[in-house]
Amino acid sequence: MYNKYKHFFWLFFIIGLFLSIFLAINEYFSNQIFLQRYDIEMRQCLTDEKICNIELLKQAEKNLDANQKKLVELHELISHHVFFYWNILRIFMIFILIGVSPFIFVWTKQKLLRFKS
């Protein structure tokens, strides 16, 4: 009875797996680009002799120039890098849950029919 739903599960498993791999690779290379850009922006901030401390920049967010705003933004992206990987894992688990859902529906339907009998 469950055999006809195996293809559905494997379809969503494979799609979720490849999507997760693609997103993880994308996130890794994006983080590398953010790190390089952060280094460039920090060097430019230091050569311009401006305030470059991230904590001070976060507090004075209204009076910042473009370079300092970009430093704050890049710091946020870099510091929250791990959370993006957790989101990718959640996306993969959602695909697994969608793939398993027909099994769950058939199983609950069988349990309900046995309970009514």
Side-chain angles (χ1 to χ4, degrees), residues 11 13-14 18-19 23 31 61 82 86 88 91 100 114:
L11 173 70
F13 178 80
I14 290 171
F18 284 122
L19 178 65
L23 290 174
N31 190 50
E61 217 170 299
V82 175
W86 283 108
I88 293 169
I91 290 169
V100 173
R114 284 185 195 164

Side-chain angles (χ1 to χ4, degrees), residues 26-98:
N26 183 29
E27 182 57 38
Y28 173 76
F29 286 115
S30 294
N31 190 50
Q32 295 301 314
I33 292 169
F34 296 151
L35 287 170
Q36 290 172 355
R37 188 67 189 171
Y38 180 79
D39 193 37
I40 291 169
E41 294 293 329
M42 185 59 82
R43 276 191 254 130
Q44 182 177 351
C45 183
L46 291 173
T47 57
D48 292 344
E49 297 178 356
K50 297 180 182 175
I51 299 172
C52 300
N53 187 346
I54 296 298
E55 300 304 322
L56 294 175
L57 293 176
K58 286 181 183 178
Q59 292 173 359
E61 217 170 299
K62 295 177 184 171
N63 301 326
L64 301 178
D65 65 352
N67 177 262
Q68 291 170 328
K69 288 180 183 178
K70 183 158 288 213
L71 273 173
V72 172
E73 181 181 335
L74 287 169
H75 182 267
E76 289 296 318
L77 287 171
I78 292 168
S79 63
H80 291 85
H81 173 69
V82 175
F83 296 114
F84 296 127
Y85 285 115
W86 283 108
N87 287 338
I88 293 169
L89 182 63
R90 286 186 193 119
I91 290 169
F92 181 65
M93 289 300 142
I94 288 170
F95 271 89
I96 295 295
L97 184 63
I98 291 171

